[in-house]
């Protein structure tokens, strides 16, 4: 059914890659054009955002979407993957954390984060996990991230609201070190992507091509400033437009349908950056 266009949220289970989910949905929905935003590791679970049909065009505009996670951790153990599914490389007696809330609060804000060596970040065109697999040492660049909030849910369980690109296992590694311990992540559930939560997610076995309801491209791009137009012909033809706005990028819409993303070209002249038809 190639006329399916929009966003689908599914609850990815453990022991399944994000690509596995895409392959399953491609068969269930009978579509060829389908992708995902925000990869989840195989042992992580939770909200995975799938882009179907024309919605695949907006992937670059969703890559910086904020996220929320619930994670648990184990102290006294360090692994090569920074989670309990890796190989243990060090064990150490656990030092009691007297005030976990204060420790968490100290990590709120903008910061530099060293990502795990077993990750898909590319250095010189090669993914970090490929260097790790080949036992090649490489300098890993620090990443700019922001932690908006950390809530303690239990003695070894936290809820984290953060910017895109944040590695929760690396956050847990750093929190453990600051407390005088070593530690690794023991579970991870993504509970929110942007404005979408787990409540918006289908279970994989619930998805049916005849009944599935997709979120619109308009809804997914609602964070962009919008300009309502009367005649869509110029936009559909990709014509440059004179717009009276202070914004540098706007979403051109008609009757709550996203038509195109326009970017400032010169002064008040805007050109079509991405057509969505």
């Amino acid at each position: 059914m190639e006329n399916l266009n929009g966003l689908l949220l599914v609850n990815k289970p453990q022991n399944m890659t994000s690509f596995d989910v895409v392959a399953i949905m491609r068969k269930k929905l009978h579509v060829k054009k389908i992708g995902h935003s925000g990869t989840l590791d195989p042992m992580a679970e939770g909200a995975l955002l799938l882009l179907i049909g024309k919605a695949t065009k907006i992937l670059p505009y969703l890559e910086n979407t904020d996220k929320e996670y619930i994670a648990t951790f184990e102290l006294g153990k360090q692994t090569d993957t920074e989670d309990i599914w890796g190989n243990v490389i060090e064990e150490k007696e656990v030092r009691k954390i007297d005030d976990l809330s204060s420790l968490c609060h100290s990590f709120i804000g903008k910061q530099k984060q060293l990502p795990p060596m077993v990750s898909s970040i590319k250095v010189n065109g090669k993914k970090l996990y490929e260097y790790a697999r080949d036992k090649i040492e490489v300098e890993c660049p620090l990443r700019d991230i922001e932690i908006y909030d950390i809530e303690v849910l239990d003695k070894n369980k936290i809820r984290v609201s953060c910017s895109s690109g944040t590695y929760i296992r690396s956050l847990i590694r750093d929190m453990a070190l600051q407390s005088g311990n070593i530690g690794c992540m023991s579970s991870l559930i993504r509970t929110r992507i942007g404005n979408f939560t787990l409540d918006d997610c289908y279970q994989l076995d619930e998805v049916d091509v005849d009944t599935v309801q997709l979120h619109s491209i308009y809804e997914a791009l609602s964070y962009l400033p919008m300009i309502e137009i009367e005649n869509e012909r110029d936009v559909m033809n990709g014509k440059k437009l004179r717009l009276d706005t202070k914004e540098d990028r706007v979403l051109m819409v008609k009757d709550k349908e996203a038509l195109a993303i326009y970017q400032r070209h010169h002064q008040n002249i805007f050109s079509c950056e991405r057509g969505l038809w």
Side-chain angles (χ1 to χ4, degrees), residues 163-219:
S163 63
S164 181
T166 301
Y167 281 89
I168 304 301
R169 46 190 160 140
S170 296
L171 172 66
I172 288 172
R173 171 203 65 203
D174 294 341
M175 289 174 59
L177 289 173
Q178 187 160 309
S179 71
N181 288 285
I182 56 175
C184 60
M185 186 179 73
S186 54
S187 71
L188 184 68
I189 302 174
R190 185 156 64 196
T191 53
R192 180 176 59 80
I193 305 175
N195 294 325
F196 300 113
T197 70
L198 273 178
D199 291 337
D200 300 309
C201 295
Y202 282 90
Q203 302 300 323
L204 295 190
D205 58 2
E206 293 176 339
V207 177
D208 182 88
V209 66
D210 295 321
T211 59
V212 68
Q213 295 186 357
L214 304 183
H215 295 274
S216 69
I217 297 174
Y218 174 93
E219 185 179 356

Side-chain angles (χ1 to χ4, degrees), residues 114-277:
L114 179 66
M117 273 303 299
V118 183
S119 66
S120 58
I121 296 172
K122 288 188 176 181
V123 175
N124 298 325
K126 190 174 181 179
K127 295 178 180 178
L128 284 178
Y129 69 76
E130 294 175 324
Y131 287 107
R133 181 188 59 201
D134 297 335
K135 297 182 179 179
I136 299 174
E137 291 188 7
V138 63
E139 185 176 352
C140 183
L142 296 175
R143 292 162 65 87
D144 291 310
I145 66 162
E146 184 172 2
I147 305 296
Y148 305 122
D149 188 37
I150 307 180
E151 178 187 2
V152 176
L153 302 178
D154 203 346
K155 62 181 180 180
N156 67 334
K157 188 175 186 180
I158 56 176
R159 177 186 287 113
V160 182
S161 176
C162 58
S163 63
S164 181
T166 301
Y167 281 89
I168 304 301
R169 46 190 160 140
S170 296
L171 172 66
I172 288 172
R173 171 203 65 203
D174 294 341
M175 289 174 59
L177 289 173
Q178 187 160 309
S179 71
N181 288 285
I182 56 175
C184 60
M185 186 179 73
S186 54
S187 71
L188 184 68
I189 302 174
R190 185 156 64 196
T191 53
R192 180 176 59 80
I193 305 175
N195 294 325
F196 300 113
T197 70
L198 273 178
D199 291 337
D200 300 309
C201 295
Y202 282 90
Q203 302 300 323
L204 295 190
D205 58 2
E206 293 176 339
V207 177
D208 182 88
V209 66
D210 295 321
T211 59
V212 68
Q213 295 186 357
L214 304 183
H215 295 274
S216 69
I217 297 174
Y218 174 93
E219 185 179 356
L221 296 178
S222 61
Y223 70 92
L224 287 173
M226 298 184 186
I227 294 182
E228 183 81 22
I229 59 173
E230 294 182 1
N231 187 345
E232 67 269 31
R233 183 176 300 175
D234 288 344
V235 172
M236 301 290 277
N237 289 332
K239 184 179 178 180
K240 290 182 180 179
L241 302 174
R242 182 180 295 275
L243 302 175
D244 184 17
T245 178
K246 295 181 180 180
E247 306 291 344
D248 290 325
R249 177 181 282 151
V250 295
L251 180 65
M252 308 301 287
V253 302
K254 181 175 175 60
D255 300 329
K256 292 191 175 182
E257 180 182 358
L259 299 179
I261 297 171
Y262 266 64
Q263 188 174 36
R264 189 181 300 277
H265 178 71
H266 177 67
Q267 294 183 347
N268 288 340
I269 303 301
F270 285 69
S271 58
C272 182
E273 181 180 55
R274 183 64 56 93
L276 304 175
W277 52 86

